[in-house]
Amino acid sequence: MGDDGNNVTVSSFLPQLTGSFSTPAADNPTVQIMEAAYAAGNLDFRYINCDVKPEGLADAIAGAVAMGWRGFNCSLPHKVAVIPLIDGLAESASIIGAVNTVVNDDGRLTGENTDGQGFLASLREVKDPKDTRIVIFGAGGAARAIAVECALAGARAITIVNRSPERGQELAALVDSRTPADCDYRPWTSRFDVPADADVVINATSIGFGAGSTETLDVDTDSLQPHMVVADVMANPPMTVWLTAAESRGCTILTGLGMLVNQAAINGKLWTGVDLDKAVMHRELSAIFGLTQ
Ligand code: NDP
């Protein structure tokens, strides 16, 4: 009870702050789903979306620390540049070499990479990654995070298929040398046949981005089999041409929406210590993307 007799304490007027530093930032919907989840959980937290240019990143971080922010996301183009500006890295972020989430523990900043963890949480809803053979299309930031997290979660073998051989070979060598999984690179110069013993097949390229996109992977979808889990990182639209083909082949499919929601939930847990309501975040994202689900 406050001095004036109201059931409000002074701390009610000082929410804990979280947010995002990126540029451009205006099309990033994370603020809306985090604020909805904080409100639904009755948490005294706020999330602020900030457009931060590369030359302003160090000052933005110093400002967040000065204001006692609990943490922040780093999105493009800051995921690598943030590393020398913080105090330490979680294991997977250190292997991946990129950070998308920072946690502030009394002034000590730790970098995490929850892109891959979000994918893994989504995968675990339908399949245990342990001892699986995984095929990943792409070798950019998303593929890197997914490959490392799946390898650390016990995947037996991972094949990286990428258009540019340098990037593909580099990722395969990284996963092979820094995790317990066997990882190889396959060139992607013509229509790709998915090996019959693959358990999980993931589009981690940017192919298929944007509502109404008809772009899809140069893969023989007849090589997809019903025992396979087929995933896409694309959140908008969630139902890509790639996933539609996989579903018609009888595969279990995973949309990028699940990865995005799980990643946001993991960030929220790191900052608040509690489980945010994923259904609220899913609903919010669906409304943003104009989906009926
Ligand atoms: P990058 O730019 O780092 O990598 C893009 C990848 O796509 C590269 O491997 C590139 O190959 C490949 N690629 C792009 N166009 C083609 C093409 N026409 N044919 C073959 N390969 C192609 O991007 P990110 O890894 O950061 O992001 C990839 C996607 O993942 C984005 O669309 C992003 O929105 C999504 N994403 C989704 C998340 C979620 O939570 N759902 C989280 C993070 C990302 P190459 O090396 O040859 O150029």
Side-chain angles (χ1 to χ4, degrees), residues 193-260:
D193 282 335
V194 175
D197 63 347
D199 303 295
V200 182
V201 188
I202 306 158
N203 173 30
T205 72
S206 42
I207 297 171
F209 179 75
S213 171
T214 52
E215 255 196 320
T216 194
L217 312 189
D218 192 9
V219 171
D220 182 357
T221 50
D222 285 347
S223 63
L224 296 175
Q225 301 188 18
H227 72 269
M228 297 175 182
V229 174
V230 176
D232 205 316
V233 293
M234 205 54 60
N236 184 23
M239 203 54 199
T240 55
V241 175
W242 165 244
L243 289 186
T244 304
E247 191 173 47
S248 74
R249 294 281 304 158
C251 306
T252 303
I253 60 162
L254 282 180
T255 73
L257 217 52
M259 175 177 171
L260 197 56

Side-chain angles (χ1 to χ4, degrees), residues 125-148:
E125 289 167 11
V126 297
K127 188 161 191 76
D128 182 353
K130 202 163 168 26
D131 283 330
T132 51
R133 171 155 193 211
I134 299 183
V135 175
I136 300 176
F137 294 98
R144 231 175 142 82
I146 290 170
V148 168

